[in-house]
Amino acid sequence: MTDKKKLVVIGAGMASGRMLETLLEAAPDAYDVTLFGAEPRGNYNRIMLSPVLAGEKSYEQIVTHDGDWYAANGIACRFGETVTRIDRNAKTVTTAAGETPYDKLVIATGSAPFIIPIAGRDLPGVRAFRDLDDVEAMVEAAARPGAKAVVIGGGLLGLEAAAALRSRGMEVVVLHLMGHLMERQLDPAAGHLLRRELEGRGITVHTQAQTKAILGNERVEAVLLDDGTVYPADLVVMAVGIRPEIRIAVDAGLDVERGIVIDDRTFTSDPDILAVGECVEHERVCYGLVAPLYTMAGVAAKTLLGEEAAFRPLETATQLKVTGVSLYSAGDFADGEDRDEIVLRDASAGIYKRLVLKDNRIIGAVLYGEAADGPWFFDHIRNRTDISDMRETLIFGQSYQGGAPLDPTAAVAALPPEAEICGCNGVCKGTIVTAIETRGLTTLDEVRAHTKASASCGTCTGLVEQLMQATLGEAFAVQAVKPVCGCTHLGHDEVRRLIRAKELKSIPAVMQELEWTSSGGCAKCRPALNYYLVCDWPDEYADDYQSRFINERVHANIQKDGTYSVVPRMWGGVTSAAELRAIADVVDKFDIPTVKVTGGQRIDMLGIRKEDLPEVWADLGKAGFVSGHAYAKGLRTVKTCVGSDWCRFGTQDSTGLGIAIEKFMWGSWTPAKVKMAVSGCPRNCAEATCKDVGVICVDSGFEIHFAGAAGLDIKGTEVLGHVATEGEVMRHIVALVQMYREQGHYLERIYKWAKRIGLDEIRRQIMDELERREAYYERFVFSQKFAQVDPWSERASGKDKHEFKPLATLELEAAQ
Amino acid sequence: MTAMTTNWIEIGLLEDIPREGARLIRTPSGCIAVFRTAGDEVHALDDRCPHKGGPLSQGIVHGTSVTCPLHNWVFDLSTGLAQGADEGQVATYPVRVREGVLQIAAGKLAAER
């Protein structure tokens, strides 16, 4: 025994525990080990202090090496004894009990919590969150009913403390210096989700909080911020960081910077002294997370045994240990020009995943809400895996990567049969595959009809299509989700869903929350967002006219020469001598060059100068005309035939019905223009079967048609269903249009929307589901309260004057 | 007027132009569009798209760009240069705000025209 070399270890923390374990496993008899520890207990898993504080684990459960373990391994434990001096010449360490000689010495003194140098930091009730004593003090403070805690520091440790204290019933405020929580590990989006989660638990989060002083006489009473805010507190937890515990190394004259400087083999500047853990600095970096420290401990063990080993700094991953929050971050996730990213968001499920890529390799990952794949991504970061082959499916994680070839279809194919595909209707993969196989389904519509998958909100359409491709083979072509525009990677469906889920009620809020990449959007996304907000929050959203295309902004149609055309509404295409006379007068008065009858049974006046528009409208208004919305993504015309009033074949009052529909629905904004028609008999003189919505009157009632087109595409309508009364026609048509308003992509006509959603699904919701139909109807009616204001009379009375008048007219002299 | 001094002409108030909007000023030789961005920058450009003569003042203003209402060409408001694949440039004029009052440089106006 006596010829064994003497190893002295200062510090009985996690790094030294791991080092000793590794050392003793490899060579149990290499050293006589003496272990000094300042804390009067064995080695416990410090990173599990949070669960102990939360009451989810006991101290016994987090002990890694207790006295018995050390004894069994022949380690002389000197707990509670503080090493005060190292004599490098004599190779001894000094404690109150005397001197202990060493051949090799390992310093593992760890770190001390950083205490902000402010007034009141020494008051009783101010604690760090570092060891079991702190935990015990905090548990005691939390035991008093109504006790208040202020946690300074919104990093990993601070938030774990805050959540644990909150779960113990304390009122908790978190103060954080930076703009978002855990800024070293999280990007702003994930920080935002985390904040929302904590606030949902009743924790107050104050970011950009500069702590000025801790107030109190006998003990802590409150915390004062620079901005004057005061938070009452019975307990203040400082969790703003750590500083390496280096005093003893400094005194010994070792090379020390922020930490004790070590080389790759963990040697300090003295070849007989090694150092590991939070007290060291390696290549200018100090480490505070357990993974690299364990690696370092392993290297130290090998070095002690004379083996070659080198500590290489590693990417570190972080996981927040707050029950109910899954969060994982690893690597480098700052933005950069040479970087690319893949983002997956599911706002309603609170999921956010972001991978940062560079040269086809993952260099950073932030996962929130679903962090199970963290270690898998982390592996790829560390191994610098080339991910080009699985890029499209990478974000879905490991479970999607089963088998080659790695394409999106394979990803879906790799899903288990019970994986949910359609969240709205609760349809899982197995159901869809079985339906495709047993019923011989080949189109998306059929799959929707038989399984209801992708038949509601449509967001899972892509997945369903991939599933169909996987099941049916190459014959089935998948469509990719297109972003709204270059300012975002989100598609229309996702934007619409997030606007509702996050209750976003202004364009800046959408751009902020959905992380638009341009500062003010573009001419593509702004009108789309404006429409979505008008549609979803009719009573609350303030219509942003600067985000509307010029025609809607000034309620007239711009022409190629910059003049405008004006089309007054002629309800159902019916007019009168008085109306025609008024139009004639306006044409004369304003010298309007062209008057044209439109395809929608009304009259267009073209070539009007912009500044004349308000006066033109004033004159038309006197004759009873209102805007025909010929410029709007909204209800345009309802074309009619003369019906049973005059026609010998007419079966119903098609004219009256058309007028009633137009009077009910005018003014409504829609994703794209909506043109309607009502024909009094199947001869269909109003050409209702190529309209967005059409009605064909028959003896027994009314056939409702929809999804026709006669523009870029020519397409006959589809039959929605048959109803008996005019009242039913109205309710069905209104519900149909509202469904389209809520689901359509901006600029997507009804026939395209219907193709996307599925005809059968639309029929089911509008014809078969009374409750749903009524809900659509009611929402349309509510929205009309805010929409049915004649924009022409508003402008004739002076609204938006700036639109129609030049700012200034400069004379020749002034300009020279 | 000497070469060293600029003759600034008052044309109205900043608040006369909506944010992310534009107003026209008429001059004997054509119209100039004065734009106000969301960040209250002001820019003055010829109100004429080099593509098909569209009135840029009627376009949607986004960031520091405007999209022509006729065929969606996009121009940078400070340089007048067409963005993206389109090629072209619109003349710009010095314009400034002094205590809320908009002023345009007469010299440039006269010189350009």
Side-chain angles (χ1 to χ4, degrees):
Chain A
M1 290 291 273
T2 47
D3 58 343
K4 278 206 280 184
K5 284 194 280 186
K6 294 183 180 62
L7 174 66
V8 169
V9 180
I10 309 174
M14 297 176 67
S16 83
R18 173 59 64 99
M19 182 199 71
L20 288 172
E21 197 179 288
T22 314
L23 179 70
L24 295 171
E25 265 175 27
D29 299 319
Y31 285 98
D32 258 341
V33 184
T34 307
L35 176 65
F36 292 96
E39 270 189 86
R41 47 177 90 81
N43 181 23
Y44 54 87
N45 188 346
R46 209 182 283 280
I47 58 175
M48 297 309 277
L49 281 176
S50 300
V52 175
L53 179 58
E56 290 160 4
K57 280 199 178 348
S58 66
Y59 168 65
E60 287 70 29
Q61 287 175 293
I62 68 166
V63 169
T64 53
H65 304 98
D66 58 9
D68 293 346
W69 183 86
Y70 290 115
N73 284 283
I75 295 168
C77 290
R78 310 265 293 269
F79 292 156
E81 236 181 284
T82 307
V83 176
T84 52
R85 185 166 168 267
I86 300 168
D87 186 334
R88 288 166 56 194
N89 293 323
K91 293 178 77 169
T92 58
V93 298
T94 310
T95 66
E99 288 171 359
T100 309
Y102 66 80
D103 294 307
K104 293 283 179 201
L105 174 68
V106 176
I107 304 177
T109 42
S111 65
F114 182 73
I115 301 293
I116 316 171
I118 47 171
R121 65 183 183 279
D122 298 325
L123 285 170
V126 179
R127 300 296 308 203
F129 183 26
R130 186 63 194 153
D131 56 30
L132 215 51
D133 293 340
D134 292 325
V135 170
E136 278 161 11
M138 286 194 255
V139 171
E140 201 181 299
R144 289 221 335 276
K148 296 177 174 62
V150 171
V151 176
I152 304 178
L156 201 60
L157 208 56
L159 296 183
E160 291 185 7
L165 292 171
R166 178 71 195 138
S167 73
R168 283 189 179 268
M170 289 188 95
E171 282 181 34
V172 180
V173 177
V174 173
L175 305 178
H176 191 52
L177 189 59
M178 308 307 283
H180 70 269
L181 296 173
M182 290 181 66
E183 79 286 347
R184 285 172 61 190
Q185 292 90 12
L186 299 184
D187 59 7
H192 171 82
L193 286 172
L194 178 59
R195 178 183 185 140
R196 226 176 43 187
E197 165 67 30
L198 295 174
E199 285 173 344
R201 296 179 182 207
I203 295 173
T204 304
V205 177
H206 190 137
T207 48
Q208 288 175 323
Q210 184 94 43
T211 309
K212 194 173 188 183
I214 298 171
L215 312 176
N217 292 319
E218 297 292 304
R219 54 174 291 115
V220 59
E221 287 168 21
V223 175
L224 170 69
L225 303 188
D226 258 6
D227 65 8
T229 313
V230 174
Y231 288 109
D234 303 294
L235 170 72
V236 172
V237 180
M238 284 234 196
V240 291
I242 53 173
R243 49 176 184 76
E245 188 59 83
I246 53 175
R247 267 171 302 181
I248 198 159
V250 173
D251 291 347
L254 293 173
D255 202 353
V256 175
E257 299 282 338
R258 243 169 74 225
I260 304 166
V261 177
I262 58 165
D263 64 11
D264 287 355
R265 302 188 65 199
T266 72
F267 280 120
T268 65
S269 52
D270 182 324
D272 290 320
I273 304 180
L274 292 72
V276 293
E278 289 178 333
C279 60
V280 311
E281 177 177 326
H282 176 263
E283 292 183 345
R284 315 200 75 78
V285 180
C286 296
Y287 292 87
L289 296 169
V290 72
L293 296 180
Y294 274 174
T295 312
M296 194 190 289
V299 172
K302 287 191 167 172
T303 302
L304 286 170
L305 294 170
E307 293 172 20
E308 277 305 312
F311 174 64
R312 296 312 316 157
L314 285 172
E315 302 288 347
T316 48
T318 310
Q319 230 166 341
L320 185 72
K321 290 171 297 302
V322 171
T323 309
V325 178
S326 18
L327 191 162
Y328 191 97
S329 84
D332 178 358
F333 39 82
D335 290 324
E337 280 197 2
D338 53 348
R339 293 168 179 198
D340 213 354
E341 60 175 24
I342 305 177
V343 176
L344 174 80
R345 293 166 200 268
D346 185 339
S348 52
I351 291 172
Y352 170 81
K353 300 184 184 185
R354 175 161 168 253
L355 298 178
V356 180
L357 309 178
K358 187 179 173 181
D359 304 330
N360 283 324
R361 287 177 168 80
I362 312 176
I363 60 166
V366 182
L367 312 178
Y368 187 94
E370 200 182 88
D373 280 314
W376 185 74
F377 289 129
F378 189 39
D379 250 15
H380 289 311
I381 294 177
R382 284 202 291 203
N383 299 334
R384 300 185 39 75
T385 317
D386 187 325
I387 50 81
S388 332
D389 289 345
M390 54 178 167
R391 189 183 162 118
E392 281 183 72
T393 58
L394 187 65
I395 193 88
F396 298 115
Q398 184 174 22
S399 54
Y400 286 70
Q401 310 297 336
L406 291 164
D407 61 35
T409 316
V412 175
L415 285 175
E418 63 275 12
E420 186 176 85
I421 301 287
C422 172
C424 297
N425 297 305
V427 189
C428 64
K429 179 186 161 186
T431 312
I432 299 171
V433 172
T434 310
I436 293 172
E437 285 168 351
T438 58
R439 296 172 185 273
L441 309 182
T442 54
T443 68
L444 188 60
D445 271 3
E446 289 172 345
V447 171
R448 282 174 177 150
H450 286 281
T451 67
K452 304 288 172 276
S454 116
S456 291
C457 76
T459 9
C460 62
T461 301
L463 271 180
V464 172
E465 286 178 333
Q466 285 168 14
L467 195 49
M468 293 184 71
Q469 197 178 41
T471 314
L472 294 169
E474 293 292 311
F476 190 83
V478 177
Q479 287 178 315
V481 171
K482 266 206 209 135
V484 172
C485 64
C487 305
T488 177
H489 57 271
L490 300 174
H492 286 274
D493 279 330
E494 203 157 23
V495 169
R496 294 208 75 170
R497 201 161 48 80
L498 288 169
I499 284 174
R500 289 171 198 142
K502 289 171 167 267
E503 300 195 359
L504 306 177
K505 296 182 183 174
S506 72
I507 289 178
V510 174
M511 292 183 174
Q512 184 63 32
E513 286 276 321
L514 307 188
E515 299 195 326
W516 242 237
T517 56
S518 62
S519 62
C522 69
K524 247 182 160 173
C525 60
R526 284 252 300 279
L529 295 180
N530 191 60
Y531 165 69
Y532 294 154
L533 292 163
V534 164
C535 174
D536 288 340
W537 319 108
D539 51 337
E540 291 176 77
Y541 176 63
D543 198 330
D544 177 21
Y545 264 66
Q546 297 310 131
S547 292
R548 285 191 177 274
F549 182 64
I550 184 65
N551 288 1
E552 292 185 351
R553 198 183 331 142
V554 299
H555 294 275
N557 296 57
I558 195 165
Q559 302 299 318
K560 60 183 268 188
D561 61 353
T563 64
Y564 288 81
S565 85
V566 158
V567 183
R569 212 167 265 291
M570 278 180 183
W571 306 101
V574 177
T575 186
S576 67
E579 284 188 351
L580 291 172
R581 209 167 276 126
I583 288 178
D585 287 344
V586 165
V587 170
D588 282 345
K589 179 172 171 186
F590 295 95
D591 205 11
I592 295 171
T594 299
V595 183
K596 163 92 177 64
V597 174
T598 73
Q601 300 185 336
R602 38 200 202 169
I603 292 175
D604 192 358
M605 290 163 262
L606 297 114
I608 302 174
R609 297 187 310 157
K610 196 183 185 191
E611 51 267 44
D612 288 339
L613 287 172
E615 281 183 72
V616 167
W617 294 333
D619 283 8
L620 290 171
K622 281 177 205 150
F625 282 115
V626 296
S627 167
H629 292 89
Y631 45 80
K633 310 296 173 215
L635 179 75
R636 296 273 178 98
T637 60
V638 183
K639 193 174 174 179
T640 66
C641 67
V642 292
S644 55
D645 270 2
W646 295 93
C647 181
R648 62 203 166 100
F649 299 115
T651 60
Q652 309 277 356
D653 177 15
S654 51
T655 321
L657 177 57
I659 292 171
I661 293 171
E662 193 169 352
K663 292 217 157 168
F664 197 87
M665 300 186 75
W666 74 271
S668 58
W669 300 103
T670 44
K673 62 186 169 187
V674 173
K675 294 179 171 180
M676 300 191 183
V678 183
S679 283
C681 78
R683 287 169 189 78
N684 191 18
C685 294
E687 296 161 345
T689 51
C690 64
K691 295 287 183 270
D692 295 291
V693 180
V695 179
I696 306 284
C697 303
V698 289
D699 269 336
S700 60
F702 306 86
E703 230 175 45
I704 303 175
H705 289 240
F706 73 116
L712 277 175
D713 294 316
I714 298 183
K715 187 181 167 300
T717 49
E718 307 286 340
V719 177
L720 181 71
H722 181 278
V723 297
T725 67
E726 285 193 1
E728 286 175 285
V729 170
M730 190 72 86
R731 290 191 104 79
H732 283 79
I733 287 180
V734 164
L736 171 70
V737 170
Q738 181 65 17
M739 183 178 175
Y740 164 59
R741 294 182 75 223
E742 292 176 8
Q743 299 183 357
H745 297 172
Y746 190 63
L747 301 185
E748 179 182 54
R749 293 286 292 270
I750 285 190
Y751 71 100
K752 290 191 175 164
W753 162 73
K755 189 175 170 216
R756 187 164 58 79
I757 298 296
L759 301 170
D760 290 341
E761 175 61 17
I762 296 170
R763 286 189 195 108
R764 184 174 67 86
Q765 292 199 18
I766 302 300
M767 298 307 299
D768 305 340
E769 296 186 12
L770 176 66
E771 238 172 77
R772 209 186 293 227
R773 179 171 73 231
E774 287 302 299
Y776 281 131
Y777 180 85
E778 291 305 329
R779 287 201 288 276
F780 184 87
V781 170
F782 178 72
S783 153
Q784 284 296 79
K785 280 203 273 186
F786 310 95
Q788 282 196 330
V789 180
D790 176 35
W792 286 2
S793 73
E794 283 184 310
R795 278 151 190 81
S797 321
K799 188 178 177 181
D800 286 352
K801 244 188 275 179
H802 63 83
E803 277 293 352
F804 305 100
K805 277 192 184 159
L807 181 63
T809 301
L810 300 183
E811 302 304 326
L812 205 55
E813 308 82 66
Q816 281 173 345
Chain B
M1 198 183 81
T2 71
M4 298 302 292
T5 59
T6 303
N7 184 16
W8 292 96
I9 307 169
E10 291 190 3
I11 49 175
L13 302 177
L14 176 66
E15 64 186 41
D16 292 336
I17 308 178
R19 286 210 172 99
E20 299 184 308
R23 294 287 299 272
L24 271 189
I25 49 177
R26 289 179 188 274
T27 77
S29 46
C31 288
I32 294 174
V34 184
F35 294 89
R36 177 182 179 189
T37 67
D40 281 350
E41 278 176 43
V42 289
H43 300 280
L45 282 77
D46 267 343
D47 189 32
R48 207 182 141 71
C49 178
H51 175 218
K52 300 263 178 170
L56 296 178
S57 58
Q58 316 291 292
I60 289 179
V61 179
H62 44 96
T64 52
S65 307
V66 63
T67 297
C68 177
L70 293 196
H71 306 96
N72 293 327
W73 281 37
V74 180
F75 295 91
D76 183 280
L77 291 175
S78 34
T79 63
L81 279 168
Q83 306 291 293
D86 299 321
E87 281 178 31
Q89 188 168 18
V90 188
T92 60
Y93 302 89
V95 63
R96 65 180 191 182
V97 182
R98 283 292 177 273
E99 289 168 358
V101 177
L102 282 165
Q103 301 173 332
I104 194 162
K108 175 80 190 293
L109 263 181
E112 287 286 320
R113 287 179 181 277

